[in-house]
Amino acid sequence: MNRALKKIIFTTVTLSVLCYIFLNDLLQGDWSVLSASWDNLETFWNESLWPPEWSMLEARKYPECGSSIGFFCSKAYIGMLETLKMAFVATIIGFTIAIFLSPFAAKNLTSAWVYIPMRIILAATRSLPSIIWAIIFVVIVGLGPLAGVLAMTFYTVGYLGKLQYEEMEGVQNSPLEAARAMGLSHPEIVANVVIPESSNNLLSQLLFMFEYNVRHGSILGLVGAGGIGFYLQFYLNFLMYKHVMAFIVVILVVVIIIDLMSMYIRSFVTEDGDVKRPSWSTIFLSPNQAKKYHHGKSEEE
Amino acid sequence: MSSSELILSVENLTVGYNEELISKINLEINTGDVIAVVGPSGIGKTTLLRTIAGLVKPISGDIFCKAPKRGGIGYIPQKLGLVRHTSVYHNVDLGARSGSRFFSEPKTWFKRRSERVTTAVERMGLSDKMNEPVRRLSGGQQRRVATARTLAQRPKLILADEFLSELDEDNISIVLDAVKEYMAASESAMIIVEHNIQRATEISTRLLQIKNGELVEYNPSEMKFDLDGGLI
């Protein structure tokens, strides 16, 4: 058995044992709670969750629907659209603020006097989950989507800020050194070297954050911060799980669509890519596979 | 011909990171000088260049550089230091940006920069690649972009770390001709780190070899080589 394999086995066994010890501790040694869990899930699924209440995707009775397509007046569509708008605004504003702050938190770009306080500020905004921010902003600006937008913006700044400064720290030293030797200023280096060099991953993080905010925007409604979460909270209060399930399916579909769009957008900036993807059929393929697919097609023509 | 002027003066310089790599460096560089630093790998050539560029603090000693802080030193690192995701124009413009003063004539700043970029890129024979992302270019073309960036900067002192390696003969002559032309037209100096001693002697006016942690100066015209290009 070679060394590498021994290491893998040792790491796997150690982690498994640690997980078992911690879980056992959390369950206080009582594993019997798991014995009935599958039956509970089956009962809950069959009696309360499935089939979803698809009427949530139909037009509301009041106010009257002005569109010929009823779905556009449904609670699911209206709620989801509001969540998407909230997530979009929060992601863009949060990203913009974070991209200004993160260069001051990157070790390779500033001194410890600057990056340590900046990291503390970013950690502070990140340490509160967005739902707690939402509660705070509901108190400050009242119920509604604005509280949700502000909560998500604050969390986005902290979360994206960390991802961004770590990304910036990973930028190759050579372009930075060339720019420093030239005498370019800190903002010039950030704008013209650091951000373009890390653009691929910054874009990836932006898209991930949007998806994250859509998912979390759905939860923020639980504390009165608007969006589809408002309906989730409403039906959860009345234990109408089939209605809740319909909204969850809508959220799932939207998240999958955002994920596909994210893959598509990022495929234009990947390192070995330069792969234009003229058809959605290649979206699940790697850049190399996509190249082969399109070359194959053009040869056939 | 204008008289030469002191650009860089180095006194009792010791360079290295945790331990001394080269010590007791005393050097004066005037306009028109092309200094080649040669020696085996890992001996401190790049560290010396980075120290002069102001990227590494010297262990001891002083460096007096007459080149302005902004745009005065053009540095071509061994790995070229290009912003790979952006275009040739963007990369060369970084040099032009640092070399042209905004406050002297703000209205013409963009135009002046653009002219510098166009001239440098044309000189390097890359006009047709102006908007191409650098990562799509070949290694030789990328070296020409790095040189164009320095030419667009118009520095007083050029520091080039093995900037001719991986280039074929055609590319070497394009790059060297352009650099020589620039140096003839401007009052500048150049320090290059070069692996190939024979080539170093051909292009330099002074040759420095690192031996036992110290710099030894040779006159390139008096140097002799064996059949493999090694120093006799």
Side-chain angles (χ1 to χ4, degrees):
Chain A
M1 201 185 293
N2 66 20
R3 241 186 185 182
L5 190 63
K6 273 182 188 170
K7 265 188 183 176
I8 292 170
I9 292 172
F10 176 75
T11 313
T12 312
V13 170
T14 310
L15 291 175
S16 305
V17 170
L18 280 175
C19 282
Y20 175 78
I21 292 170
F22 291 151
L23 193 57
N24 190 53
D25 189 43
L26 291 167
L27 293 172
Q28 295 175 333
D30 182 15
W31 290 84
S32 63
V33 288
L34 293 175
S35 60
S37 56
W38 182 251
D39 292 338
N40 292 342
L41 176 66
E42 210 177 339
T43 312
F44 184 52
W45 178 265
N46 291 332
E47 291 180 8
S48 305
L49 288 177
W50 204 260
E53 185 53 56
W54 296 119
S55 66
M56 294 296 101
L57 275 63
E58 292 165 7
R60 291 183 300 184
K61 285 177 186 135
Y62 182 83
E64 203 175 311
C65 183
S67 169
S68 56
I69 302 168
F71 174 69
F72 292 136
C73 302
S74 66
K75 287 173 184 170
Y77 176 79
I78 291 167
M80 198 66 237
L81 189 65
E82 191 169 86
T83 297
L84 282 169
K85 285 176 186 168
M86 284 162 59
F88 181 80
V89 173
T91 309
I92 297 297
I93 297 174
F95 178 85
T96 312
I97 297 170
I99 204 89
F100 274 104
L101 298 182
S102 50
F104 295 102
K107 258 186 190 176
N108 57 343
L109 298 175
T110 48
S111 67
W113 293 105
V114 180
Y115 74 72
I116 291 174
M118 187 51 73
R119 283 178 183 211
I120 292 171
I121 293 170
L122 291 175
T125 54
R126 199 172 58 248
S127 59
L128 288 185
S130 47
I131 198 151
I132 306 292
W133 279 117
I135 292 169
I136 293 169
F137 283 113
V138 163
V139 173
I140 297 170
V141 299
L143 292 168
L146 182 61
V149 169
L150 289 170
M152 280 195 275
T153 303
F154 264 71
Y155 191 72
T156 301
V157 170
Y159 198 92
L160 265 190
K162 182 177 168 62
L163 292 176
Q164 285 173 354
Y165 77 68
E166 283 180 352
E167 182 57 39
M168 288 174 183
E169 283 174 352
V171 164
Q172 276 199 349
N173 219 16
S174 163
L176 286 178
E177 290 199 335
R180 280 183 188 137
M182 281 182 218
L184 292 176
S185 64
H186 179 263
E188 281 177 315
I189 292 175
V190 169
N192 296 293
V193 178
V194 178
I195 292 177
E197 264 304 81
S198 43
S199 55
N200 182 16
N201 287 334
L202 292 181
L203 181 65
S204 172
Q205 290 160 5
L206 173 73
L207 294 165
F208 168 76
M209 200 68 220
F210 177 60
E211 185 214 297
Y212 178 93
N213 278 339
V214 170
R215 282 186 281 114
H216 275 245
S218 316
I219 297 168
L220 294 188
L222 297 177
V223 292
I228 201 168
F230 168 78
Y231 296 105
L232 283 175
Q233 178 219 21
F234 180 83
Y235 289 108
L236 276 173
N237 283 346
F238 291 98
L239 306 179
M240 297 162 83
Y241 295 120
K242 290 192 177 181
H243 294 68
V244 172
M245 192 64 190
F247 289 111
I248 289 172
V249 170
V250 170
I251 294 168
L252 177 71
V253 169
V254 169
V255 167
I256 290 171
I257 290 171
I258 293 170
D259 202 28
L260 291 174
M261 284 168 67
S262 158
M263 280 171 66
Y264 182 71
I265 293 167
R266 280 192 301 117
S267 71
F268 287 94
V269 288
T270 47
E271 181 71 14
D272 59 343
D274 297 334
V275 180
K276 301 283 178 268
R277 294 174 189 266
S279 64
W280 284 86
S281 54
T282 59
I283 202 155
F284 286 112
L285 302 179
S286 70
N288 280 339
Q289 287 170 323
K291 265 184 199 167
K292 276 182 198 164
Y293 179 89
H294 288 300
H295 287 169
K297 269 206 157 180
S298 56
E299 275 166 20
E300 277 172 29
E301 284 157 13
Chain B
M1 195 180 158
S2 63
S3 60
S4 62
E5 182 195 334
L6 183 72
I7 286 189
L8 183 81
S9 169
V10 173
E11 288 174 11
N12 291 322
L13 186 72
T14 301
V15 300
Y17 295 99
N18 296 324
E19 57 185 62
E20 291 180 9
L21 286 170
I22 317 171
S23 58
K24 298 178 206 161
I25 308 167
N26 286 292
L27 198 62
E28 286 197 342
I29 298 172
N30 299 309
T31 51
D33 280 349
V34 178
I35 296 191
V37 183
V38 295
S41 301
I43 206 158
K45 303 187 297 289
T46 298
T47 311
L48 173 66
L49 223 56
R50 293 178 74 226
T51 310
I52 294 171
L55 301 167
V56 178
K57 276 189 181 171
I59 293 175
S60 65
D62 297 302
I63 300 169
F64 304 100
C65 188
K66 278 198 172 178
K69 252 192 169 181
R70 188 184 168 94
I73 294 178
Y75 178 47
I76 307 175
Q78 207 170 350
K79 290 180 181 171
L80 305 177
L82 297 171
V83 186
R84 298 184 68 249
H85 290 298
T86 58
S87 65
V88 169
Y89 186 95
H90 175 92
N91 275 277
V92 179
D93 184 46
L94 285 177
R97 173 189 281 271
S98 78
S100 52
R101 301 272 173 278
F102 172 74
F103 290 106
S104 60
E105 276 179 79
K107 281 183 185 171
T108 60
W109 192 51
F110 289 103
K111 197 182 163 200
R112 279 184 286 135
R113 269 168 51 191
S114 169
E115 280 169 4
R116 281 183 182 218
V117 174
T118 314
T119 311
V121 171
E122 272 176 10
R123 189 67 191 80
M124 284 292 128
L126 292 167
S127 299
D128 56 329
K129 306 281 180 195
M130 192 74 100
N131 297 314
E132 197 92 352
V134 164
R135 67 175 188 272
R136 283 194 206 165
L137 303 182
S138 68
Q141 287 170 327
Q142 290 188 8
R143 286 198 177 264
R144 276 147 63 188
V145 175
T147 312
R149 181 183 61 196
T150 302
L151 294 180
Q153 186 185 335
R154 299 181 191 167
K156 292 287 273 181
L157 179 64
I158 300 174
L159 306 173
D161 196 347
E162 296 190 18
F163 78 129
L164 297 175
S165 61
E166 296 172 27
L167 285 178
D168 56 34
E169 288 306 316
D170 289 343
N171 275 319
I172 287 177
S173 65
I174 291 173
V175 171
L176 274 184
D177 288 350
V179 173
K180 281 177 186 168
E181 195 180 290
Y182 168 73
M183 292 204 44
S186 63
E187 293 191 336
S188 56
M190 185 174 188
I191 305 177
I192 58 168
V193 161
E194 183 57 61
H195 236 65
N196 185 325
I197 301 180
Q198 194 158 3
R199 189 187 293 146
T201 55
E202 285 165 15
I203 58 178
S204 63
T205 56
R206 290 161 68 190
L207 192 132
L208 304 173
Q209 192 178 25
I210 302 170
K211 265 188 177 174
N212 304 321
E214 289 183 23
L215 275 182
V216 183
E217 184 156 357
Y218 294 90
N219 184 342
S221 59
E222 293 168 2
M223 298 186 76
K224 289 175 183 173
F225 299 94
D226 58 25
L227 290 173
D228 299 325
L231 205 57
I232 297 173

